[in-house]
Amino acid sequence: MKECVLLVLVMWSLCAARSPYQAVLTHSRIRGRQQGPNVCAMQQLKGTDKKYFTNCKQWYHRKICNKPTVITYECCPGYEKIPGERGCPATLPLVNIYNTLGAVGATTTQMYSERANLREEIQGPGSFTFFAPSNEAWAALPMEILDALVSNVNIELLNALHYHMVNRRLTSEELKHGSSFPSMYQDFHVHLQHYSNGIVTVNCARLIKADQHATNGIVHVVDRVITAISNNVHVLIDVDDDLETLRTAIAAAGLTSILESEGQYTIFAPTNEAFEKIPPETLNRILGDPVSLRDLLNYHILKNMRCAESIVSGTPMETLQGTVLEVGCDGKEITLNGKAIITKKDQLGTNGVIHYINQLLIPDSAKTLLELTESSNVATATRMFVEAGLSPQLKGSQPLTVLAPVDQAFTGGSSMADISKVMSNHIVKGQLSSKSLYHNQELQTLGDVTLRVFVYRNNLCIENACLAAHDKTGRYGTMLTVDKVVTPPMGTVMDVLKADERFSVLVGAIQTAGMTELLNQPGALTFFAPTNNAFDALPQTEVSQMMRNSQQLAATLRYHLGDGMLVSGGVGSHTRVKPLQGDMLELGVKNYTVFVNRVAVAHADLMATNGVVHGVDSMVKPLPPKVDPEQADGPARQSDVGSFRNDALFLKVVQSGSSRTMSSRPDV
């Protein structure tokens, strides 16, 4: 009950919060309330001094940037302890900004303010906002920079401190995402980001103690010393020799104007080293293709500005190219699609931020079909395409669609001749997408074989192979990952049965029942075909009786024939198929095996031009009737539970069903 009350309180408080920062502050306050009034729970990264106000997800996972955290407690902003009392019952005394710097622990900023002759200004009248670097922020500055600030008759130090100030009071609520304000240093703007996870940054420095009120303004303690910015991101790229190749590529792709325009971009800038890692053939192809080059570069640009400190967990972020990058972190490292490839962070421009990376990110849309397969989990298919001599087709500009089976689909070896034939039938003419395919559509392969498309409620299949992953769309083609090696139809249902020794008894039975023409004519049938083992499992007298009675035999076989085309990948839970004679067949899947009326399919997906054959090692019989226990006259007998009807009743049922209406396709 106590947890429920706390949850309701958390949800109500978060809804009432006026900004993301206020939301995480409120959550931290609620989590710390058991320690006393005005106590905030903080999550501190183990082994570091970095602390964060907590949200629900971080609180329960006890992780930030994939690293464990410990819970610490401290006074919420604006409060302090009183010796001998619980929590933080006292509000901080309201003093001027200079004294507030000391009260919140920014003593180094306080010292430099006095040295730069700023003390009188921030003690006097006014209404200022001071983004005050913490003591650790000053200590992290390279010594040569710090020496330059404090040695030039204090002018540079005063300018630097004035850049941390805005000539108006700005609370965290007023620090809107993407806003900027003129600083007190030559009106150079400071740039604010207020992220949905509650993190607030100024010039990519994180506010670690916000909203410390003073009589003449407000203090926000930040985790680094910020510097004035006056150039856009294109200028930053233009003047850096480490980005020379990128600069050339941007000009060739016509992206210069975008990077010079107003905006809030994040650029993951590949260094010269990153370009050099790409095989020359691939790099030259992309650089020589304006479409691929533009896609490549846009894939490195996010639509929104993301400072390094704002990233505390993996999040998909949309690029200018239209797809997403998974931007996350692992400890101190920022990761892109799971890889820690960022070498320099937070190079800030007036219209965005640049992070340097040492590995080129190539989107699918800039890849050839061979490159798509090489970068996917279809290593065996890729090797077999190459061994089949199909590399030129997969590297070329002809619109194609590759059907790439997963590695588990290849269970046996093939000769080189077989590989060439098999793999050419896994390449379809035309660039297609799974969303554009429709039921009974016919596709033409490079091997001049026609493949059919089957659309089910739970799957989309091409012959026996069904989709196993999302489409990957390349420069000229599409890759569809499938769960099986595609087996094109090799004849009619009757042809398939005749070619397989496992069905020799069934073939004779079909001929005896006069059903050969049915299984040879055009159509769409699903045959749960009894193997020789299924006939061997029956008493010999019963088999002999069936073979002598063609009408009875035909009724039995027609109960094994479903109307419509159903491959194993189209079977879901409670799938039902209407047989040519008798009651509905009940299908399901358990441990990757298809069952029909509780009989396991032993040999699935033998494809034919007019249907599909699924071999079963037992005769398929009607299921017992489903009886509602509450409506039954008495308790069910043990012999009735989970058993099939007797054979006489089975024959009666399948024979009586011949007068019923047939459906045109399986109820799937």
Side-chain angles (χ1 to χ4, degrees):
M1 183 64 183
K2 188 176 181 180
E3 281 293 321
C4 292
V5 172
L6 179 59
L7 181 61
V8 171
L9 182 59
V10 169
M11 296 303 295
W12 179 85
S13 300
L14 297 187
C15 291
R18 294 167 295 182
S19 69
Y21 170 79
Q22 290 295 330
V24 295
L25 175 62
T26 300
H27 182 268
S28 293
R29 183 188 290 271
I30 292 171
R31 293 298 179 184
R33 63 202 300 262
Q34 293 183 346
Q35 307 298 317
N38 305 314
V39 174
C40 283
M42 308 290 290
Q43 285 189 263
Q44 181 174 351
L45 280 172
K46 283 186 178 180
T48 73
D49 295 327
K50 295 187 74 169
K51 296 180 181 179
Y52 297 83
F53 292 118
T54 180
N55 59 34
C56 285
K57 182 178 179 180
Q58 292 166 351
W59 176 264
Y60 286 111
H61 288 182
R62 293 293 199 272
K63 283 187 176 182
I64 292 176
C65 279
N66 206 33
K67 298 299 180 182
T69 61
V70 294
I71 302 299
T72 63
Y73 297 94
E74 59 185 52
C75 292
C76 295
Y79 297 90
E80 64 179 352
K81 291 180 175 294
I82 294 179
E85 295 193 27
R86 290 183 71 247
C88 305
T91 57
L92 284 172
L94 199 63
V95 293
N96 59 53
I97 285 180
Y98 179 81
N99 291 329
T100 300
L101 292 174
V104 298
T107 54
T108 304
T109 299
Q110 188 183 46
M111 176 190 69
Y112 285 140
S113 296
E114 185 162 7
R115 183 179 297 185
N117 297 322
L118 184 63
R119 176 174 179 173
E120 182 178 350
E121 184 176 355
I122 59 178
Q123 280 183 325
S127 182
F128 309 112
T129 297
F130 203 147
F131 297 103
S134 66
N135 294 348
E136 293 77 12
W138 287 106
L141 275 182
M143 189 55 67
E144 61 272 16
I145 294 179
L146 189 58
D147 286 344
L149 285 175
V150 301
S151 64
N152 191 8
V153 200
N154 297 334
I155 295 299
E156 293 298 331
L157 183 59
L158 179 62
N159 291 340
L161 291 172
H162 267 153
Y163 185 64
H164 288 74
M165 296 175 62
V166 174
N167 196 14
R168 57 179 285 195
R169 183 192 301 263
L170 295 169
T171 65
S172 61
E173 185 183 356
E174 296 170 288
L175 303 178
K176 303 296 185 182
H177 191 68
S179 61
S180 66
F181 301 93
S183 73
M184 294 177 64
Y185 170 59
Q186 298 183 5
D187 284 340
F188 280 110
H189 279 234
V190 291
H191 299 266
L192 281 302
Q193 304 294 327
H194 195 142
Y195 297 97
S196 59
N197 58 9
I199 289 176
V200 183
T201 63
V202 53
N203 286 24
C204 286
R206 180 167 68 96
L207 274 62
I208 54 177
K209 291 182 181 179
D211 294 333
Q212 307 292 334
H213 290 271
T215 56
N216 57 345
I218 194 167
V219 174
H220 304 291
V221 181
V222 296
D223 67 353
R224 72 180 74 167
V225 178
I226 63 176
T227 55
I229 55 174
S230 57
N231 295 319
N232 60 49
V233 291
H234 182 262
V235 172
L236 298 181
I237 294 171
D238 206 36
V239 299
D240 194 330
D241 290 339
D242 282 342
L243 303 178
E244 182 179 357
T245 307
L246 175 61
R247 181 164 61 247
T248 302
I250 288 172
L255 293 179
T256 301
S257 59
I258 292 178
L259 300 184
E260 289 178 337
S261 64
E262 292 185 5
Q264 295 283 317
Y265 302 114
T266 300
I267 301 172
F268 297 107
T271 61
N272 298 338
E273 175 193 0
F275 281 97
E276 291 167 1
K277 292 178 180 178
I278 301 300
E281 180 184 358
T282 300
L283 183 59
N284 291 335
R285 176 185 62 78
I286 293 175
L287 293 177
D289 178 9
V291 175
S292 294
L293 181 58
R294 194 175 184 89
D295 276 359
L296 173 79
L297 296 177
N298 281 336
Y299 189 57
H300 290 75
I301 305 173
L302 301 182
K303 292 184 175 182
N304 299 301
M305 183 169 159
R306 300 296 304 201
C307 296
E309 284 296 325
S310 72
I311 301 166
V312 293
S313 62
T315 307
M317 299 184 185
E318 189 175 359
T319 67
L320 290 187
Q321 184 255 349
T323 56
V324 297
L325 276 176
E326 182 72 22
V327 183
C329 53
D330 189 13
K332 295 181 180 179
E333 303 290 336
I334 299 178
T335 60
L336 297 179
N337 292 342
K339 298 179 180 179
I341 59 175
I342 291 181
T343 57
K344 190 190 294 187
K345 308 173 188 174
D346 293 340
Q347 305 304 299
L348 200 63
T350 56
N351 59 344
V353 64
I354 300 175
H355 306 292
Y356 288 41
I357 58 176
N358 61 11
Q359 184 174 318
L360 198 63
L361 304 170
I362 303 179
D364 289 345
S365 61
K367 294 178 181 178
T368 64
L369 279 171
L370 186 60
E371 290 165 351
L372 278 181
T373 63
E374 289 172 339
S375 61
S376 305
N377 295 322
V378 289
T380 304
T382 303
R383 175 176 56 80
M384 294 185 72
F385 280 127
V386 173
E387 291 179 2
L390 295 168
S391 294
Q393 289 85 345
L394 299 185
K395 289 181 179 179
S397 57
Q398 180 183 359
L400 297 171
T401 299
V402 165
L403 309 177
V406 297
D407 289 341
Q408 297 86 341
F410 296 94
T411 56
S414 301
S415 66
M416 183 60 68
D418 289 335
I419 290 177
S420 178
K421 182 178 180 181
V422 169
M423 300 314 291
S424 65
N425 287 330
H426 284 74
I427 304 177
V428 173
K429 297 176 182 178
Q431 183 172 7
L432 308 171
S433 75
S434 61
K435 295 184 183 300
S436 68
L437 299 178
Y438 55 88
H439 192 66
N440 287 332
Q441 182 179 0
E442 293 186 346
L443 311 176
Q444 201 71 23
T445 72
L446 290 187
D448 288 328
V449 168
T450 299
L451 303 178
R452 298 160 297 180
V453 177
F454 306 117
V455 179
Y456 303 103
R457 290 185 184 277
N458 64 323
N459 222 332
L460 186 149
C461 306
I462 299 171
E463 295 298 337
N464 60 305
C466 301
L467 296 188
H470 294 295
D471 301 10
K472 288 197 170 186
T473 304
R475 176 66 177 94
Y476 299 106
T478 301
M479 186 187 86
L480 303 180
T481 304
V482 293
D483 61 355
K484 298 182 183 70
V485 175
V486 177
T487 56
M490 302 303 293
T492 65
V493 169
M494 197 63 190
D495 293 333
V496 170
L497 295 174
K498 284 182 177 180
D500 195 324
E501 285 297 322
R502 294 172 296 188
F503 302 105
S504 59
V505 177
L506 175 62
V507 169
I510 291 169
Q511 292 169 341
T512 299
M515 296 175 60
T516 303
E517 183 180 351
L518 173 66
L519 300 184
N520 274 326
Q521 68 187 18
L525 297 171
T526 299
F527 198 174
F528 298 100
T531 63
N532 295 347
N533 291 338
F535 285 97
D536 291 342
L538 293 175
Q540 188 58 42
T541 56
E542 185 179 333
V543 174
S544 299
Q545 180 183 351
M546 276 198 304
M547 292 300 185
R548 289 195 299 268
N549 187 335
S550 60
Q551 184 178 1
Q552 174 186 333
L553 181 59
T556 300
L557 295 179
R558 289 171 72 87
Y559 187 65
H560 288 72
L561 275 165
D563 186 15
M565 192 87 165
L566 180 62
V567 299
S568 61
V571 178
S573 59
H574 308 297
T575 299
R576 306 175 77 221
V577 172
K578 179 67 177 173
L580 297 188
Q581 187 166 334
D583 292 333
M584 284 285 189
L585 298 171
E586 304 283 344
L587 279 77
V589 181
K590 184 177 181 181
N591 296 330
Y592 304 102
T593 299
V594 174
F595 287 80
V596 52
N597 284 14
R598 302 179 188 168
V599 174
V601 171
H603 316 287
D605 299 329
L606 307 178
M607 306 306 296
T609 55
N610 60 342
V612 59
V613 175
H614 303 297
V616 291
D617 285 339
S618 298
M619 301 298 288
V620 178
K621 300 179 181 180
L623 293 172
K626 296 177 181 178
V627 178
D628 188 342
E630 296 182 1
Q631 297 180 5
D633 293 335
R637 293 176 300 165
Q638 184 63 34
S639 60
D640 291 338
V641 179
S643 64
F644 291 120
R645 306 185 204 187
N646 61 50
D647 292 338
L649 182 58
F650 161 56
L651 293 175
K652 181 179 180 181
V653 168
V654 297
Q655 289 172 357
S656 65
S658 59
S659 62
R660 300 184 183 178
T661 303
M662 306 299 176
S663 65
S664 60
R665 56 180 298 225
D667 181 17
V668 294

